[in-house]
Amino acid sequence: MAAAIEIPTKVLPNSTCELRVPVIGMGSAPDFTCKKDTKEAIIEAIKQGYRHFDTAAAYGSETALGEALKEARDLGLVTREDLFVTSKLWVTENHPHLVVPALRKSLETLQLEYLDLYLIHWPLSSQPGKFSFPIQAEDLLPFDVKGVWESMEESLKLGLTKAIGVSNFSVKKLQNLLSVATIRPAVNQVEMNLAWQQKKLREFCNANGIVLTAFSPLRKGASRGPNEVMENDMLKGIAEAHGKSIAQVSLRWLYEQGVTFVAKSYDKERMNQNLQIFDWELTTEDHQKIDQIKQNRLIPGPTKPQLNDLWDDEI
């Protein structure tokens, strides 16, 4: 078997202990049904060099991920300290009194003593105990950002997680959070790819020590129309010039922006290809072409009907 690739890491400036996160993580969002596939894919990913694993209470993948990580530790492939595990607080638990119990439940499911990173999944709160996806808009309740964030800070002090952050927060929502936070969020995980480059959000996060993590880095994850990244002729040309795939060009671009990202592939070859991005560079001309790609958001939001003010009209 080929030697595992050593994935570069990035410091989380807003974490209390200068925690380092591997720049590429393995996602486990719910587009699969077989727990066995998940487990086998995660063991394979660890063998290839993946150390950062991203899940969420809402994904239904915490059990399989927990079993796989335990097996990998039992086999001596990794220690707990080698791993970086992220999970997320779902909207039904996005209430001050439910944050710590929800995190404890995730830890139990994952068979872990602590998380490396715990995120607020969406800047929304809904009826406790009433899980549905999409979230029914009539089930939404006011989001107590100050109270919830105090509970996130408490989970950090209790040693249940090493860092805390958010997901799907606009600049405006981050500004609101920063105005009430004692400990700043370490990460904001958002959709980001070549057709949704998040320039304004990137600039704001850089200025405030918040590391961006991109989900849907290859613009997969929704079935509407053609994939503006993977089916883009101009990107095909750039990829051919470097002897790489469009996926590799996309991930290399993210790496050169200084962001981290979670890619999701359970295919052994593709998992490996996603790691082959660290020993070459895009040219200035490549970047100029990529800057011209038409921008539009792929994932409008988790509610039915969609909310008008979820993204605060930010581009």
Side-chain angles (χ1 to χ4, degrees):
M1 192 182 84
I5 288 171
E6 195 161 326
I7 296 170
T9 59
K10 189 173 175 70
V11 170
L12 298 178
N14 292 345
S15 63
T16 45
C17 50
E18 292 270 291
L19 195 60
R20 300 190 77 92
V21 57
V23 297
I24 181 167
M26 171 94 166
S28 61
D31 63 355
F32 54 81
T33 49
C34 178
K35 205 166 84 170
K36 183 172 169 284
D37 288 353
T38 305
K39 200 170 152 183
E40 284 175 3
I42 288 158
I43 298 281
E44 174 59 33
I46 287 172
K47 287 177 179 170
Q48 291 195 18
Y50 287 86
R51 295 293 179 264
H52 173 189
F53 294 90
D54 180 89
T55 184
Y59 293 169
S61 58
E62 285 182 329
T63 301
L65 176 59
E67 286 174 7
L69 295 181
K70 184 178 186 302
E71 190 173 308
R73 297 197 303 279
D74 291 347
L75 291 168
L77 296 174
V78 282
T79 65
R80 173 64 186 96
E81 293 68 37
D82 295 329
L83 298 168
F84 190 101
V85 184
T86 301
S87 194
K88 308 180 194 79
L89 175 75
W90 188 239
V91 296
T92 46
E93 275 80 37
N94 202 10
H95 304 276
H97 66 295
L98 295 178
V99 173
V100 171
L103 174 46
R104 288 191 192 277
K105 188 174 177 218
S106 281
L107 288 173
E108 191 183 329
T109 310
L110 286 159
Q111 302 183 56
L112 296 174
E113 303 276 309
Y114 64 89
L115 286 179
D116 296 279
L117 179 63
Y118 196 45
L119 305 177
I120 296 173
H121 205 147
W122 289 93
L124 300 168
S125 299
S126 74
Q127 296 280 358
K130 196 172 176 186
F131 183 87
S132 68
F133 194 86
I135 303 152
Q136 301 304 311
E138 66 263 24
D139 291 338
L140 292 175
L141 296 169
F143 172 34
D144 174 6
V145 65
K146 186 173 190 292
V148 166
W149 193 252
E150 281 171 359
S151 297
M152 293 288 283
E153 292 175 344
E154 177 64 15
S155 70
L156 197 62
K157 289 168 192 156
L158 290 168
L160 301 174
T161 183
K162 289 191 169 185
I164 50 177
V166 296
S167 183
N168 301 299
F169 272 52
S170 64
V171 168
K172 187 178 173 182
K173 288 182 173 64
L174 285 173
Q175 285 170 328
N176 189 20
L177 172 57
L178 290 172
S179 73
V180 298
T182 305
I183 300 166
R184 292 176 156 220
V187 165
N188 184 19
Q189 184 179 130
V190 295
E191 178 194 336
M192 183 175 164
N193 49 62
L194 293 182
W196 191 244
Q197 296 180 14
Q198 294 275 29
K199 195 161 184 286
K200 182 182 173 185
L201 188 61
R202 265 189 284 150
E203 286 168 2
F204 181 84
C205 287
N206 281 341
N208 288 280
I210 301 167
V211 171
L212 267 187
T213 297
F215 69 74
S216 297
L218 304 179
R219 208 166 170 84
K220 294 176 177 176
S223 53
R224 303 193 310 277
N227 184 320
E228 289 104 327
V229 172
M230 302 303 283
E231 296 168 37
N232 182 306
D233 287 342
M234 179 266 289
L235 289 175
K236 195 176 170 194
I238 291 175
E240 284 170 358
H242 288 280
K244 299 292 175 186
S245 67
I246 291 178
Q248 287 168 323
V249 167
S250 301
L251 298 181
R252 177 70 202 185
W253 179 85
L254 288 165
Y255 179 59
E256 291 186 15
Q257 304 313 308
V259 306
T260 62
F261 43 94
V262 287
K264 188 176 63 209
S265 177
Y266 286 4
D267 176 84
K268 191 173 173 177
E269 287 301 309
R270 221 165 294 133
M271 260 189 231
N272 184 263
Q273 286 166 16
N274 287 349
L275 297 181
Q276 308 294 332
I277 62 166
F278 300 116
D279 57 355
W280 57 282
E281 293 177 358
L282 294 166
T283 65
T284 306
E285 192 186 345
D286 294 339
H287 279 281
Q288 286 165 350
K289 287 179 181 171
I290 286 167
D291 285 346
Q292 304 305 311
I293 295 173
K294 185 168 174 283
Q295 298 293 295
N296 61 73
R297 190 185 296 281
L298 177 69
I299 295 160
T303 61
K304 190 177 179 182
Q306 297 298 340
L307 306 175
N308 295 328
D309 59 351
L310 181 62
W311 305 111
D312 304 302
D313 292 330
E314 288 174 14
I315 292 178

